Coordinates of all heavy atoms in Angstrom, one line a residue:
W207 N -8.6 -12.6 -3.8 CA -7.5 -12.8 -2.8 C -7.9 -12.3 -1.4 O -7.7 -13.0 -0.4 CB -6.2 -12.2 -3.3 CG -5.0 -12.3 -2.5 CD1 -4.2 -11.3 -2.0 CD2 -4.4 -13.5 -1.9 NE1 -3.2 -11.8 -1.3 CE2 -3.3 -13.2 -1.2 CE3 -4.8 -14.9 -1.9 CZ2 -2.5 -14.1 -0.5 CZ3 -4.0 -15.8 -1.3 CH2 -2.9 -15.4 -0.5
R208 N -8.5 -11.2 -1.4 CA -9.0 -10.6 -0.1 C -10.0 -11.6 0.5 O -10.0 -11.8 1.7 CB -9.6 -9.2 -0.3 CG -8.7 -8.1 -0.3 CD -9.4 -6.8 -0.3 NE -8.5 -5.7 -0.4 CZ -8.5 -4.8 -1.3 NH1 -9.4 -4.8 -2.3 NH2 -7.6 -3.8 -1.4
Q209 N -11.0 -12.0 -0.3 CA -12.0 -12.9 0.2 C -11.4 -14.2 0.7 O -11.9 -14.7 1.7 CB -13.0 -13.1 -0.9 CG -14.2 -14.0 -0.5 CD -14.9 -13.5 0.7 OE1 -15.3 -12.3 0.8 NE2 -15.1 -14.3 1.8
F210 N -10.5 -14.7 -0.1 CA -9.8 -16.0 0.4 C -9.2 -15.8 1.7 O -9.4 -16.7 2.6 CB -8.8 -16.4 -0.7 CG -8.0 -17.6 -0.3 CD1 -8.5 -18.9 -0.3 CD2 -6.7 -17.4 0.2 CE1 -7.8 -20.0 0.1 CE2 -5.9 -18.5 0.6 CZ -6.4 -19.8 0.5
V211 N -8.5 -14.7 1.9 CA -7.8 -14.5 3.2 C -8.8 -14.3 4.3 O -8.6 -14.8 5.4 CB -6.8 -13.3 3.0 CG1 -6.2 -12.8 4.4 CG2 -5.7 -13.6 2.1
A212 N -9.9 -13.6 4.0 CA -11.0 -13.5 5.0 C -11.5 -14.8 5.4 O -11.8 -15.0 6.6 CB -12.0 -12.5 4.5
T213 N -11.7 -15.7 4.4 CA -12.2 -17.0 4.7 C -11.2 -17.8 5.6 O -11.6 -18.5 6.5 CB -12.5 -17.8 3.4 OG1 -13.5 -17.1 2.6 CG2 -12.9 -19.2 3.6
C214 N -9.9 -17.7 5.3 CA -8.9 -18.3 6.1 C -8.9 -17.8 7.5 O -8.7 -18.6 8.4 CB -7.6 -18.2 5.4 SG -7.4 -19.1 3.9
Q215 N -9.2 -16.5 7.7 CA -9.2 -15.9 9.0 C -10.3 -16.6 9.8 O -10.1 -16.8 11.0 CB -9.4 -14.4 8.9 CG -9.2 -13.7 10.2 CD -9.1 -12.2 10.1 OE1 -9.3 -11.7 9.0 NE2 -8.8 -11.6 11.2
E216 N -11.4 -16.8 9.2 CA -12.6 -17.4 9.9 C -12.3 -18.9 10.2 O -12.9 -19.5 11.0 CB -13.8 -17.2 9.1 CG -14.3 -15.8 9.0 CD -14.6 -15.2 10.3 OE1 -15.3 -15.8 11.1 OE2 -14.1 -14.1 10.5
G217 N -11.5 -19.5 9.3 CA -11.3 -21.0 9.4 C -11.6 -21.5 8.0 O -12.8 -21.6 7.7
Y218 N -10.6 -22.0 7.2 CA -10.9 -22.5 5.9 C -11.8 -23.7 6.0 O -11.5 -24.6 6.7 CB -9.5 -22.8 5.2 CG -9.8 -23.0 3.7 CD1 -10.0 -22.0 2.8 CD2 -9.9 -24.3 3.2 CE1 -10.2 -22.2 1.5 CE2 -10.1 -24.6 1.9 CZ -10.3 -23.5 1.0 OH -10.5 -23.8 -0.3
D219 N -12.9 -23.7 5.2 CA -13.9 -24.7 5.4 C -14.2 -25.6 4.2 O -15.3 -26.0 3.9 CB -15.2 -24.0 5.9 CG -15.8 -23.1 4.9 OD1 -15.1 -22.8 3.9 OD2 -16.9 -22.6 5.1
D220 N -13.1 -25.8 3.4 CA -13.3 -26.7 2.2 C -12.2 -27.7 2.3 O -11.4 -27.8 3.3 CB -13.2 -25.9 1.0 CG -14.0 -26.4 -0.2 OD1 -14.1 -27.7 -0.2 OD2 -14.5 -25.7 -1.0
V221 N -12.0 -28.5 1.3 CA -11.0 -29.6 1.3 C -9.6 -29.0 0.8 O -9.6 -28.0 0.2 CB -11.5 -30.7 0.4 CG1 -12.7 -31.4 1.0 CG2 -11.7 -30.3 -1.0
L222 N -8.6 -29.8 1.0 CA -7.3 -29.4 0.7 C -7.1 -29.1 -0.8 O -6.5 -28.1 -1.1 CB -6.2 -30.4 1.2 CG -4.8 -30.1 1.1 CD1 -4.5 -28.9 1.8 CD2 -4.0 -31.3 1.5
P223 N -7.6 -30.0 -1.7 CA -7.4 -29.7 -3.1 C -8.0 -28.3 -3.5 O -7.5 -27.5 -4.3 CB -8.1 -30.8 -3.9 CG -8.0 -31.9 -2.9 CD -8.2 -31.3 -1.5
E224 N -9.1 -27.9 -2.9 CA -9.8 -26.7 -3.2 C -9.0 -25.5 -2.6 O -8.9 -24.4 -3.2 CB -11.2 -26.7 -2.6 CG -12.0 -25.5 -3.0 CD -12.3 -25.4 -4.5 OE1 -12.3 -26.5 -5.2 OE2 -12.5 -24.3 -5.0
Y225 N -8.3 -25.7 -1.5 CA -7.4 -24.7 -0.9 C -6.4 -24.4 -1.9 O -6.1 -23.2 -2.2 CB -6.8 -25.2 0.4 CG -5.9 -24.3 1.1 CD1 -6.3 -23.2 1.9 CD2 -4.5 -24.4 0.9 CE1 -5.4 -22.4 2.5 CE2 -3.6 -23.6 1.5 CZ -4.1 -22.5 2.3 OH -3.1 -21.7 2.8
F226 N -5.7 -25.4 -2.4 CA -4.6 -25.1 -3.4 C -5.2 -24.5 -4.7 O -4.5 -23.7 -5.3 CB -3.8 -26.4 -3.7 CG -2.9 -26.8 -2.5 CD1 -3.0 -28.0 -1.9 CD2 -1.9 -25.9 -2.0 CE1 -2.2 -28.3 -0.8 CE2 -1.1 -26.2 -1.0 CZ -1.3 -27.4 -0.4
H227 N -6.4 -24.9 -5.0 CA -7.0 -24.3 -6.2 C -7.2 -22.8 -5.9 O -7.0 -22.0 -6.8 CB -8.3 -25.0 -6.5 CG -9.1 -24.4 -7.6 ND1 -8.7 -24.6 -9.0 CD2 -10.1 -23.5 -7.6 CE1 -9.6 -23.8 -9.7 NE2 -10.4 -23.3 -8.9
D228 N -7.8 -22.5 -4.8 CA -8.0 -21.1 -4.4 C -6.8 -20.2 -4.4 O -6.8 -19.1 -4.7 CB -8.7 -21.0 -3.1 CG -10.1 -21.6 -3.0 OD1 -10.7 -21.8 -4.2 OD2 -10.7 -21.8 -2.0
L229 N -5.6 -20.9 -4.1 CA -4.4 -20.1 -4.1 C -4.0 -19.7 -5.5 O -3.1 -18.8 -5.7 CB -3.2 -20.9 -3.5 CG -3.2 -21.1 -2.0 CD1 -2.1 -22.0 -1.5 CD2 -3.1 -19.7 -1.3
R230 N -4.6 -20.3 -6.5 CA -4.2 -19.9 -7.9 C -4.4 -18.4 -8.2 O -3.7 -17.9 -9.0 CB -4.9 -20.8 -8.9 CG -4.4 -22.2 -8.9 CD -5.1 -23.2 -9.8 NE -6.0 -22.5 -10.7 CZ -6.7 -23.2 -11.6 NH1 -6.5 -24.5 -11.7 NH2 -7.5 -22.6 -12.4
V231 N -5.3 -17.8 -7.6 CA -5.6 -16.4 -7.8 C -4.3 -15.6 -7.4 O -3.9 -14.6 -8.0 CB -6.8 -15.9 -7.1 CG1 -6.7 -15.8 -5.6 CG2 -7.2 -14.5 -7.7
R232 N -3.7 -16.0 -6.2 CA -2.5 -15.3 -5.8 C -1.4 -15.6 -6.8 O -0.5 -14.7 -7.1 CB -2.1 -15.7 -4.4 CG -0.9 -14.9 -3.9 CD -1.1 -13.4 -3.9 NE 0.1 -12.7 -3.4 CZ 1.1 -12.3 -4.2 NH1 1.2 -12.7 -5.5 NH2 2.1 -11.6 -3.7
D233 N -1.3 -16.8 -7.4 CA -0.3 -17.1 -8.4 C -0.5 -16.2 -9.6 O 0.5 -15.7 -10.2 CB -0.4 -18.5 -8.9 CG -0.1 -19.5 -7.8 OD1 0.7 -19.2 -6.9 OD2 -0.6 -20.7 -7.9
A234 N -1.7 -16.0 -10.0 CA -2.0 -15.1 -11.1 C -1.6 -13.6 -10.8 O -1.1 -12.9 -11.7 CB -3.6 -15.1 -11.5
I235 N -1.9 -13.2 -9.6 CA -1.5 -11.8 -9.2 C 0.0 -11.7 -9.3 O 0.5 -10.7 -9.8 CB -2.1 -11.5 -7.8 CG1 -3.6 -11.4 -7.8 CG2 -1.3 -10.3 -7.2 CD1 -4.2 -11.3 -6.4
E236 N 0.7 -12.7 -8.9 CA 2.2 -12.6 -8.9 C 2.6 -12.6 -10.4 O 3.6 -11.9 -10.6 CB 2.8 -13.9 -8.2 CG 4.3 -13.8 -8.0 CD 4.7 -12.6 -7.1 OE1 3.9 -12.1 -6.4 OE2 5.8 -12.2 -7.2
R237 N 2.0 -13.3 -11.2 CA 2.3 -13.2 -12.7 C 2.3 -11.7 -13.1 O 3.2 -11.3 -13.9 CB 1.4 -14.1 -13.5 CG 1.7 -14.1 -15.0 CD 0.7 -15.0 -15.7 NE 0.5 -16.3 -15.1 CZ -0.6 -16.8 -14.6 NH1 -1.7 -16.0 -14.6 NH2 -0.7 -18.0 -14.1
G238 N 1.2 -11.0 -12.7 CA 1.1 -9.6 -13.1 C 2.2 -8.8 -12.4 O 2.8 -7.9 -13.1
L239 N 2.4 -9.0 -11.2 CA 3.4 -8.2 -10.5 C 4.9 -8.4 -11.0 O 5.7 -7.6 -10.9 CB 3.4 -8.5 -8.9 CG 2.1 -8.0 -8.2 CD1 2.1 -8.5 -6.8 CD2 2.0 -6.5 -8.3
A240 N 5.1 -9.6 -11.4 CA 6.4 -10.0 -11.9 C 6.7 -9.6 -13.4 O 7.8 -9.6 -13.8 CB 6.7 -11.5 -11.8
E241 N 5.6 -9.2 -14.1 CA 5.8 -8.8 -15.5 C 6.5 -7.5 -15.6 O 6.1 -6.4 -15.2 CB 4.4 -8.7 -16.1 CG 4.4 -8.2 -17.5 CD 5.1 -9.1 -18.5 OE1 5.0 -10.3 -18.3 OE2 5.8 -8.6 -19.4
D242 N 7.7 -7.5 -16.2 CA 8.6 -6.3 -16.4 C 7.8 -5.2 -17.1 O 8.0 -4.0 -16.7 CB 9.8 -6.6 -17.1 CG 10.8 -7.5 -16.3 OD1 10.7 -7.4 -15.0 OD2 11.6 -8.2 -16.9
S243 N 7.0 -5.5 -18.1 CA 6.4 -4.5 -18.9 C 5.3 -3.7 -18.0 O 4.9 -2.6 -18.4 CB 5.8 -5.1 -20.1 OG 4.7 -5.9 -19.7
L244 N 4.9 -4.3 -16.9 CA 3.9 -3.6 -16.1 C 4.5 -2.8 -15.0 O 3.8 -1.9 -14.4 CB 2.9 -4.6 -15.4 CG 2.0 -5.4 -16.4 CD1 1.1 -6.4 -15.7 CD2 1.2 -4.4 -17.2
R245 N 5.7 -3.0 -14.6 CA 6.3 -2.4 -13.4 C 6.3 -0.9 -13.5 O 6.2 -0.2 -12.5 CB 7.7 -2.9 -13.2 CG 7.7 -4.4 -12.7 CD 8.9 -4.8 -12.1 NE 8.7 -6.2 -11.6 CZ 9.6 -6.9 -11.2 NH1 10.8 -6.5 -11.2 NH2 9.4 -8.1 -10.8
G246 N 6.5 -0.3 -14.6 CA 6.5 1.1 -14.7 C 5.2 1.8 -15.0 O 5.1 3.0 -15.1
T247 N 4.2 1.0 -15.2 CA 2.9 1.6 -15.6 C 2.2 2.3 -14.4 O 2.4 2.0 -13.2 CB 1.9 0.5 -16.1 OG1 1.7 -0.4 -15.1 CG2 2.5 -0.2 -17.3
R248 N 1.4 3.3 -14.7 CA 0.6 4.0 -13.7 C -0.4 3.0 -13.1 O -1.1 2.3 -13.9 CB -0.2 5.2 -14.4 CG 0.7 6.4 -14.6 CD -0.1 7.5 -15.2 NE -0.8 7.2 -16.4 CZ -2.1 7.1 -16.6 NH1 -2.9 7.4 -15.6 NH2 -2.6 6.8 -17.7
G249 N -0.4 2.9 -11.9 CA -1.3 2.0 -11.2 C -0.6 0.7 -10.6 O -1.1 0.1 -9.7
F250 N 0.6 0.4 -11.1 CA 1.3 -0.7 -10.6 C 1.6 -0.6 -9.1 O 1.3 -1.5 -8.4 CB 2.6 -0.9 -11.4 CG 3.4 -2.1 -10.8 CD1 3.3 -3.4 -11.4 CD2 4.4 -1.9 -9.8 CE1 4.0 -4.4 -10.9 CE2 5.1 -3.0 -9.3 CZ 4.9 -4.3 -9.8
D251 N 2.1 0.5 -8.7 CA 2.5 0.7 -7.3 C 1.2 0.6 -6.4 O 1.3 0.0 -5.3 CB 3.2 2.0 -7.1 CG 4.6 2.0 -7.6 OD1 5.2 0.9 -7.9 OD2 5.2 3.1 -7.8
D252 N 0.2 1.2 -6.8 CA -1.1 1.1 -6.0 C -1.5 -0.3 -5.9 O -2.0 -0.8 -4.8 CB -2.2 1.9 -6.6 CG -1.9 3.4 -6.6 OD1 -1.2 3.9 -5.7 OD2 -2.4 4.2 -7.5

């Protein structure tokens, strides 16, 4: 996700379908953040 954002800052240099594909990592991260069972675990807040 950090690398994708850095790439976007420089100017995203691939095609639109690849852009949406690259966003899937943020979708996966959200899946983890939204998981109730993870919210109270050590490390979640960090």
Side-chain angles (χ1 to χ4, degrees):
W207 179 229
R208 276 190 183 120
Q209 181 57 49
F210 173 77
V211 172
T213 299
C214 289
Q215 187 169 8
E216 295 297 315
Y218 191 78
D219 61 355
D220 210 329
V221 294
L222 186 61
E224 189 64 25
Y225 177 83
F226 287 120
H227 176 79
D228 290 345
L229 284 177
R230 290 180 5 180
V231 72
R232 182 58 180 86
D233 295 334
I235 289 170
E236 189 63 20
R237 183 180 309 115
L239 292 174
E241 176 61 39
D242 288 336
S243 67
L244 293 180
R245 289 199 178 167
T247 60
R248 284 182 302 110
F250 177 89
D251 290 341
D252 292 333

